[in-house]
Amino acid sequence: MKFSVDNRGYYGDFGGAYVPEMLHPNVEELRTRYLEILNDEGFREEFYGLLHDYVGRPTPLFFASRLSDHYKTRIYLKREDLCHTGAHKINNTIGQILLARRLGKMKIIAETGAGQHGVATATVCALMGMECTVYMGQLDMERQRPNVERMRILGATVVPALSGNMTLKDATNEALRHWINRPTDTHYIIGSVVGPHPYPDMVARFQSVISEEIQKQLMQKEGNPYPDTVIACVGGGSNAAGAFYHFLEDEHVQLIGVEAAGKGVDSGHSAATTVLGKPGVIHGSKTLLMQTADGQVVEPYSISAGLDYPGIGPLHAHLFQTGRVSFQHATDDEAMEAGLELSRMEGIIPAIESAHALATLKKNQFDPDDVVVVSLSGRGDKDLETYIGWKPKNDE
Ligand SMILES: *Cc1c(COP(=O)(O)O)cnc(C)c1O
């Protein structure tokens, strides 16, 4: 299959496992065991059981009729915003915690930037009665206080990362250091399709439940499992990988990935990795990342914390390079407008991350009978302050 990982952990030129010698045993154990565990009948039963009873899956595929009228095409929203904890991230944390138990590991560590992956991890640790330690940059802890409190209420220990810029990269380094010292009893839950092989493939498989459901739901509603277009926002790329997964080999399905342009691609305040990035190694894999001429990672910027990541997963780097996915971008302003538009037209306040996907509806030409599926990756409750504080440009 053209877009599957090969047995060395590569998608074309991208991927692999670039980890320090001391982490090799941990990553190697995962690599040799993950497929056998994921394909095990008992594992699948438990995974789908929890997705159904705890997460609330299948999430609806909602035909957005007013939005469809407005854009003169047929738009469906895949409602990941209705998942327990408010976004798709929990699909992956459920999968990984079940995997950790199969590996005999009772302690969990994670890194988090804005805190959303940390909350999803703390949630499943509480569910399973497992010890949870989340590393978070000190600066991010100050900026995202409510999520820090949420994790603590759920029983997790939040450890501030005090090195570097005290943000996500530093939290990741601390988590890796922790893992090196406790390889036998601890599993590291990574939150997107990033990191050393097999993480990108493993996380994509857990999130692929999104496109599995889209196919079934479109079959019921349209008599055809294939949409014309699927649109998803891309931070690290996990909701997009999940929404695209079962359509990757069907090249008549158009796939659009939307990155955050921040204040504009050329403004110096952006997270549009496919435009600004070059091949390099970040978080254990070779991929596209935003870096200076001498290879220092450039701090990304976006109004949405979930898209504020300097790289993209290696699968997406490959999908970009091969042209299978059309990568587009939306600015802060475009996303905010699209988020408010959906709120008023359909009564759904989306996460600002998801609003980036919605913002591309007006930039693409669709036929009136096209079926366009947008991945609504999360809900906007966490973003209320930003929505309240935002003033449209022409009102100033
Ligand atoms: C974290 C997050 C994202 C970005 O992560 P991906 O791995 O690219 O999916 C997008 N939307 C929401 C709501 C998120 O919480």
Side-chain angles (χ1 to χ4, degrees):
M1 306 266 263
K2 232 161 126 183
F3 302 107
S4 304
V5 79
D6 68 21
N7 53 18
R8 295 158 43 246
Y10 280 83
Y11 302 90
D13 295 338
F14 302 105
Y18 296 78
V19 296
E21 191 65 39
M22 286 165 69
L23 263 185
H24 252 273
N26 310 36
V27 173
E28 193 54 18
E29 180 185 28
L30 262 188
R31 188 186 70 80
T32 53
R33 301 281 314 278
Y34 84 109
L35 285 179
E36 151 223 332
I37 293 175
L38 264 61
N39 291 327
D40 174 73
E41 200 45 52
F43 179 89
R44 291 173 59 83
E45 237 168 68
E46 218 178 333
F47 178 57
Y48 282 99
L50 282 174
L51 289 183
H52 185 271
D53 295 337
Y54 187 70
V55 175
R57 303 204 73 93
T59 58
L61 184 70
F62 174 65
F63 180 68
S65 62
R66 296 191 64 212
L67 200 67
S68 294
D69 284 349
H70 184 73
Y71 287 106
K72 301 187 170 45
T73 188
R74 301 166 48 69
I75 302 169
Y76 283 93
L77 304 175
K78 183 56 175 162
R79 302 286 312 272
E80 295 303 295
D81 61 313
L82 295 177
C83 289
H84 178 46
T85 70
H88 67 289
K89 284 195 172 72
I90 191 135
N91 303 327
N92 168 49
T93 57
I94 293 265
Q96 285 201 49
I97 204 155
L98 292 177
L99 175 112
R101 287 161 71 104
R102 301 278 163 135
L103 293 172
K105 314 218 163 177
M106 291 307 286
K107 295 183 180 172
I108 297 295
I109 55 169
E111 86 296 338
T112 196
Q116 288 150 244
H117 172 56
V119 169
T121 304
T123 300
V124 296
C125 287
L127 175 70
M128 297 289 171
M130 287 162 74
E131 191 180 305
C132 181
T133 307
V134 179
Y135 288 88
M136 189 169 186
Q138 168 88 33
L139 182 66
D140 287 337
M141 284 180 71
E142 285 161 20
R143 292 192 290 201
Q144 309 287 342
R145 175 88 7 220
N147 275 342
V148 175
E149 296 308 333
R150 255 178 220 123
M151 288 184 265
R152 289 185 173 147
I153 290 169
L154 291 161
T157 305
V158 184
V159 180
L162 301 167
S163 55
N165 294 325
M166 300 191 278
T167 59
L168 179 62
K169 174 166 61 63
D170 315 296
T172 305
N173 289 338
E174 302 277 326
L176 288 171
R177 207 165 297 145
H178 179 126
W179 204 26
I180 287 175
N181 291 322
R182 298 173 188 77
T184 48
D185 65 353
T186 301
H187 174 67
Y188 178 15
I189 299 189
I190 293 183
S192 189
V193 285
V194 301
H197 178 65
Y199 278 100
D201 184 49
M202 183 168 75
V203 176
R205 286 169 186 261
F206 288 140
Q207 293 292 1
S208 73
V209 65
I210 299 173
S211 49
E212 188 184 319
E213 289 175 6
I214 291 173
Q215 286 196 322
K216 283 193 195 134
Q217 290 166 323
L218 281 181
M219 191 63 207
Q220 274 185 348
K221 290 169 193 286
E222 297 281 338
N224 175 359
Y226 296 102
D228 295 287
T229 302
V230 182
I231 308 176
C233 66
V234 177
S238 68
N239 88 90
F244 296 166
Y245 196 88
H246 290 282
F247 303 115
L248 284 172
E249 309 289 336
D250 297 287
E251 306 216 12
H252 59 279
V253 178
Q254 181 191 28
L255 304 174
I256 299 177
V258 187
E259 295 189 288
K263 296 185 170 150
V265 169
D266 300 316
S267 66
H269 303 276
S270 178
T273 307
T274 56
V275 186
L276 302 168
K278 297 263 177 318
V281 171
I282 185 170
H283 299 159
S285 70
K286 186 176 170 211
T287 188
L288 291 172
L289 76 129
M290 292 166 38
Q291 53 191 317
T292 60
D294 55 354
Q296 294 297 313
V297 175
V298 172
E299 276 291 310
Y301 164 82
S302 165
I303 195 168
S304 63
L307 302 185
D308 185 351
Y309 182 73
I312 49 172
L315 164 64
H316 291 288
H318 181 55
L319 294 171
F320 170 70
Q321 197 180 53
T322 54
R324 174 65 187 96
V325 171
S326 159
F327 279 84
Q328 305 185 5
H329 39 80
T331 63
D332 290 355
D333 288 345
E334 289 167 337
M336 293 303 293
E337 273 168 35
L340 289 171
E341 181 180 78
L342 187 73
S343 304
R344 287 173 193 170
M345 258 184 211
E346 300 288 353
I348 299 170
I349 305 174
I352 299 173
E353 289 85 357
S354 322
H356 284 72
L358 295 163
T360 59
L361 286 171
K362 62 173 59 148
K363 301 185 185 179
N364 289 272
Q365 217 36 65
F366 302 109
D367 286 339
D369 48 353
D370 274 1
V371 169
V372 178
V373 176
V374 181
S375 170
L376 209 68
S377 55
R379 67 176 86 127
D381 301 28
K382 66 182 180 58
D383 298 318
L384 279 192
E385 292 293 326
T386 313
Y387 277 118
I388 292 164
W390 188 77
K391 295 267 178 300
K393 270 242 172 75
N394 45 10
D395 279 17
E396 277 167 12

